[in-house]
């Protein structure tokens, strides 16, 4: 008989995967509301359905490469789909912006870390771009006051310039594995959710319930 703990894990896994499925279904039916191309007509949904999950060995190799222990729900989602191609999988409203994020594959995350979030740089390192007032306005005790951080992992992309990121180096009032967003032009990093499970649940509740 399965333990209560393992049963709980199954429930979490089914929850995040099933909700992800429903979110993608919702986008296929309501793409115009998000100003998206028809994912069925464009073939995005066919490509998405062809995407398989990352093998346990692939996830482990990623963790070893970056010396990180990924959150369980992150691994559960990637065990279902290793990226979403051009299919919007995470439609978010961040601040007043509608952002339709595509899930990046582990390979894409790895390659992006070669040039993005591959160094530690504080906001104060860019005085030409961030005044003291800007830094105060952007201050959030849950997020360290960086623009770039080696322990931030971009995993979902919007328009090639905005990224949802897994924060493995949070601020004093933050939580390891929380979700933050890098927004370009004007550049800023904002808090999104306590974790991936909470983010997916919030999107599901707002779009599919």
């Amino acid at each position: 008989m399965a333990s209560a703990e393992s049963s709980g894990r199954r429930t979490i896994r089914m929850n995040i995967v099933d909700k992800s499925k429903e979110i993608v279904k919702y986008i296929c039916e309501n793409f115009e509301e998000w100003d998206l191309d028809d994912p069925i007509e464009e073939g995005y949904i066919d490509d998405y359905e062809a995407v398989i999950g990352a093998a346990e060995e692939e996830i482990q190799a990623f963790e070893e490469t970056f010396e990180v222990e990924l959150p369980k729900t992150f691994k559960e989602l990637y065990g279902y789909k290793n990226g979403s191609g051009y299919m919007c999988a995470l439609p978010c409203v961040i601040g007043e912006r509608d952002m339709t994020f595509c899930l990046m594959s582990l390979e894409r995350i790895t390659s992006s870390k070669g040039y993005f979030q591959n160094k530690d740089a504080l906001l104060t390192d860019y005085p030409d771009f961030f005044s003291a007032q800007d830094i105060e306005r952007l201050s959030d005790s849950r997020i360290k006051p960086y623009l770039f951080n080696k322990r931030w992992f971009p995993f979902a992309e919007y328009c090639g310039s905005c990224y949802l990121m897994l924060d493995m180096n949070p601020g004093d009032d933050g939580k390891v594995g929380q979700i933050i967003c890098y927004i370009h032009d004007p550049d800023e990093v904002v808090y999104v959710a306590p974790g991936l499970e909470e983010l997916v649940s919030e999107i599901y509740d707002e779009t599919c319930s």
Side-chain angles (χ1 to χ4, degrees):
M1 181 179 295
S3 67
E5 182 180 1
S6 64
S7 176
R9 288 199 190 104
R10 283 201 299 274
T11 300
I12 292 173
R13 179 169 65 250
M14 290 301 295
N15 280 344
I16 195 168
V17 169
D18 286 348
K19 288 178 181 178
S20 296
K21 291 177 181 178
E22 290 301 312
I23 291 167
V24 168
K25 180 180 177 182
Y26 159 83
I27 285 294
C28 286
E29 296 172 350
N30 300 275
F31 61 91
E32 291 179 334
E33 294 180 14
W34 291 84
D35 196 27
L36 293 169
D37 294 331
D38 184 341
I40 297 175
E41 184 177 301
E42 296 294 330
Y44 300 156
I45 187 62
D46 291 336
D47 293 341
Y48 172 79
E49 289 176 348
V51 174
I52 63 174
E56 184 176 343
E57 294 79 9
E58 292 176 287
I59 295 173
Q60 184 176 351
F62 182 93
E63 292 181 310
E64 291 174 353
T65 296
F66 294 104
E67 298 181 344
V68 63
E69 183 176 351
L70 296 170
K72 290 178 181 177
T73 50
F74 189 93
K75 291 190 281 189
E76 286 161 3
L77 183 59
Y78 271 81
Y80 166 60
K81 289 289 184 184
N82 185 14
S84 68
Y86 291 106
M87 184 71 210
C88 169
L90 296 169
C92 298
V93 179
I94 299 178
E96 298 182 354
R97 308 184 190 197
D98 292 344
M99 297 187 180
T100 49
F101 290 94
C102 297
L103 196 67
M104 300 162 62
S105 67
L106 293 180
E107 294 79 8
R108 171 77 178 114
I109 297 172
T110 298
S111 65
S112 73
K113 287 289 284 182
Y115 57 85
F116 179 62
Q117 300 304 342
N118 61 339
K119 63 180 180 180
D120 294 330
L122 292 161
L123 293 171
T124 52
D125 293 337
Y126 301 92
D128 291 341
F129 296 96
F130 299 100
S131 66
Q133 291 78 12
D134 290 331
I135 294 172
E136 177 64 26
R137 175 178 55 83
L138 296 172
S139 177
D140 186 327
S141 60
R142 295 169 295 187
I143 306 172
K144 289 189 174 176
Y146 286 78
L147 185 61
F148 305 111
N149 189 310
K150 291 179 181 179
R151 306 304 288 171
W152 292 349
F153 293 86
F155 69 90
E157 184 176 10
Y158 168 68
C159 289
S161 59
C162 299
Y163 297 85
L164 291 175
M165 302 188 297
L166 189 65
D167 182 0
M168 304 304 289
N169 184 23
D172 291 340
D173 293 326
K175 172 186 173 184
V176 173
Q178 67 188 10
I179 306 302
I180 59 179
C181 184
Y182 176 94
I183 300 172
H184 177 60
D185 195 20
D187 288 8
E188 59 181 320
V189 178
V190 299
Y191 179 86
V192 177
L196 184 58
E197 181 182 7
E198 291 86 349
L199 174 61
V200 171
S201 294
E202 181 179 342
I203 295 172
Y204 173 83
D205 290 342
E206 292 179 353
T207 59
C208 305
S209 296

